[in-house]
Amino acid sequence: MKEKLNVFHITLLIYMTEMNITLFNLPRLVAENIGTNGWAGYLFLSLIATFNIFLYRMVYKMGNGASLFQILETAIPKAALYPFYLALSLFWIVTASFIGKNYFLIFQMLSFQTTNPMFIFLLFCLMVFCLLIKNIYNISKANTVFFIMTIWTLLLSFYHYRDWKIVRFTTFWFQDAAQGHSFHNWTEVYTTFVGFELCIFLFPYVNKKSKLFKGVFLGHWLITLALLIVLITSFGFFSFDQIQSLLYPVIDLLDFIEIPFINRIENLVFVMFMLGNLITTVMFCFAALSTLRQVFPRMKPNRIEFGIVLLVFIIGYFPKYLAQSELLLRKVLFIEIGLAISIPILLILVLQYLKLKGKKPKNEG
């Protein structure tokens, strides 16, 4: 009998997957795109993400736990789906690469201005490969260790309490957004929630005892709470104009921390958050791996994994500068949001069609 994921590991996996690179500029994104007291708008967007998770829950219930591929292949010939699978796989590989490379371009700006970021990125890709060749259970166990190594950083928020002023929040709501309010601007803040949609690839690795969606909802709201603490700390420590002008307000927050036995704690914390970035990258690679296995089911072990990580590294050459990397990352995250919403809706429609035809997807998990 195959080992199944449990609710604890699922919760932490979703938490770490959503803790992507947008964490460091989140306060600026909220201030620029939502305006004063933007933390309330952030909570509203989290509720929208919760509804999106509910759509995945509907797919799981309606399909009786069948995977994305089992549902589609019951309605459409498998060969006709190959181009769709290949396109999705390539997109998730590109997303994984841009997320990983963006982190190291920021790291280069902070600490290693003369070091080629591709050298550090190569070491990062080796770490991705070492996790990707393991199964999802081992990835989740490694993720638990990474969670324990990073969760303590939230306590650093209390260091700023002496300079934290509630008057900096102002009595105005959602005003002074840099470019006004628009669907595009609010969507830019919503990119911070990217990652929960990968729960669809966990369907074959859970059963009823796993309480999959209890874990997904808990993980999503746990990271929401953590980032809300970061937002409230930032909005009470910096003035609103300062937040809008700082490139990475979270890093500047850490820069104010002075501990006698640690020099430049922001570098230490930033390195710790590489673990969260690693899990996000690995999970997008895992999504690509799960999809490519449908196209190449007889491929020898570790061949597909090696090809995925090689592509992640090669694609990492495209964003050479931080500004270019930010732009490319924003574009892929916007597309990922569209996929996160459209995939469960598509599957619900397919399941309704199968129900009318009297067919059921085979659940081999």
Side-chain angles (χ1 to χ4, degrees):
M1 183 177 177
K2 290 183 179 180
E3 182 182 1
K4 297 296 182 181
L5 293 171
N6 60 53
V7 65
F8 176 75
H9 288 125
I10 294 166
T11 298
L12 300 191
L13 198 58
I14 296 299
Y15 174 94
M16 294 293 281
T17 303
E18 283 196 43
M19 192 178 67
N20 56 52
I21 198 65
T22 55
L23 162 69
F24 298 104
N25 61 357
L26 176 61
R28 176 175 56 80
L29 282 178
V30 171
E32 283 183 345
N33 295 294
I34 299 180
T36 52
N37 285 303
W39 59 270
Y42 174 79
L43 277 178
F44 172 73
L45 291 173
S46 184
L47 287 172
I48 294 177
T50 302
F51 174 74
N52 200 165
I53 296 171
F54 180 74
L55 292 178
Y56 285 94
R57 185 176 180 272
M58 286 181 62
V59 172
Y60 184 77
K61 292 289 185 181
M62 291 174 65
N64 196 29
S67 71
L68 160 71
F69 313 112
Q70 291 164 348
I71 295 170
L72 289 176
E73 289 166 17
T74 305
I76 305 170
K78 189 171 183 177
L81 290 167
Y82 283 168
F84 177 66
Y85 287 167
L86 290 171
L88 279 181
S89 301
L90 181 60
F91 172 74
W92 283 321
I93 291 170
V94 170
T95 303
S97 181
F98 287 171
I99 288 173
K101 181 65 182 293
N102 185 255
Y103 176 90
F104 289 103
L105 287 172
I106 299 173
F107 191 47
Q108 181 194 35
M109 178 187 71
L110 288 177
S111 303
F112 297 97
Q113 288 86 353
T114 59
T115 304
N116 186 343
M118 289 306 296
F119 174 73
I120 310 175
F121 189 54
L122 174 61
L123 301 177
F124 178 78
C125 287
L126 291 175
M127 296 170 66
V128 172
F129 179 73
C130 289
L131 281 175
L132 195 59
I133 59 176
K134 305 295 182 181
N135 55 41
I136 190 64
Y137 316 110
N138 289 324
I139 292 173
S140 69
K141 290 170 185 176
N143 175 75
T144 302
V145 176
F146 297 162
F147 172 82
I148 294 169
M149 292 174 67
T150 56
I151 190 62
W152 65 270
T153 56
L154 274 178
L155 298 175
L156 295 174
S157 299
F158 292 103
Y159 182 91
H160 303 90
Y161 82 96
R162 291 182 180 178
D163 298 304
W164 189 90
K165 305 293 182 185
I166 196 169
V167 293
R168 294 194 177 109
F169 284 80
T170 77
T171 57
F172 302 101
W173 296 83
F174 307 156
Q175 294 189 17
D176 298 326
Q179 297 177 350
H181 293 283
S182 67
F183 177 78
H184 178 276
N185 291 347
W186 282 69
T187 304
E188 190 163 352
V189 178
Y190 190 82
T191 58
T192 58
F193 298 114
V194 162
F196 64 81
E197 68 279 3
L198 300 182
C199 69
I200 198 169
F201 295 100
L202 302 181
F203 286 10
Y205 306 99
V206 298
N207 53 27
K208 290 182 179 179
K209 294 181 180 179
S210 300
K211 299 179 180 177
L212 170 61
F213 281 94
K214 181 179 179 181
V216 176
F217 283 121
L218 282 173
H220 171 70
W221 278 99
L222 187 61
I223 189 64
T224 295
L225 178 62
L227 296 183
L228 186 63
I229 291 172
V230 172
L231 280 174
I232 290 175
T233 302
S234 300
F235 273 74
F237 186 80
F238 297 115
S239 70
F240 182 74
D241 291 334
Q242 283 177 318
I243 293 176
Q244 287 190 324
S245 63
L246 294 172
L247 186 60
Y248 298 107
V250 174
I251 296 174
D252 288 286
L253 268 179
L254 295 171
D255 197 31
F256 279 92
I257 298 175
E258 295 180 356
I259 299 177
F261 52 88
I262 299 179
N263 185 30
R264 296 197 68 183
I265 193 172
E266 71 274 13
N267 284 348
L268 171 63
V269 173
F270 193 79
V271 170
M272 297 296 290
F273 276 103
M274 182 193 70
L275 302 174
N277 188 262
L278 175 63
I279 290 297
T280 305
T281 304
V282 168
M283 287 305 294
F284 275 104
C285 288
F286 176 75
L289 174 63
S290 300
T291 309
L292 286 174
R293 279 178 175 166
Q294 304 302 310
V295 183
F296 308 106
R298 298 181 181 178
M299 187 71 72
K300 292 182 179 180
N302 300 340
R303 295 287 180 87
I304 299 178
E305 290 88 335
F306 178 78
I308 288 172
V309 175
L310 180 63
L311 278 174
V312 167
F313 179 72
I314 293 172
I315 293 168
Y317 273 99
F318 286 93
K320 298 183 182 300
Y321 309 104
L322 185 56
Q324 182 188 22
S325 175
E326 295 278 358
L327 179 62
L328 291 172
L329 180 59
R330 189 181 302 117
K331 287 181 178 179
V332 296
L333 291 181
F334 270 55
I335 297 171
E336 179 62 19
I337 288 172
L339 287 174
I341 296 170
S342 59
I343 285 177
I345 293 174
L346 171 65
L347 293 178
I348 289 170
L349 293 175
V350 170
L351 285 166
Q352 288 285 16
Y353 169 78
L354 292 176
K355 185 178 179 180
L356 291 174
K357 293 291 183 178
K359 297 181 180 179
K360 291 184 179 180
K362 294 179 180 179
N363 183 1
E364 300 172 0

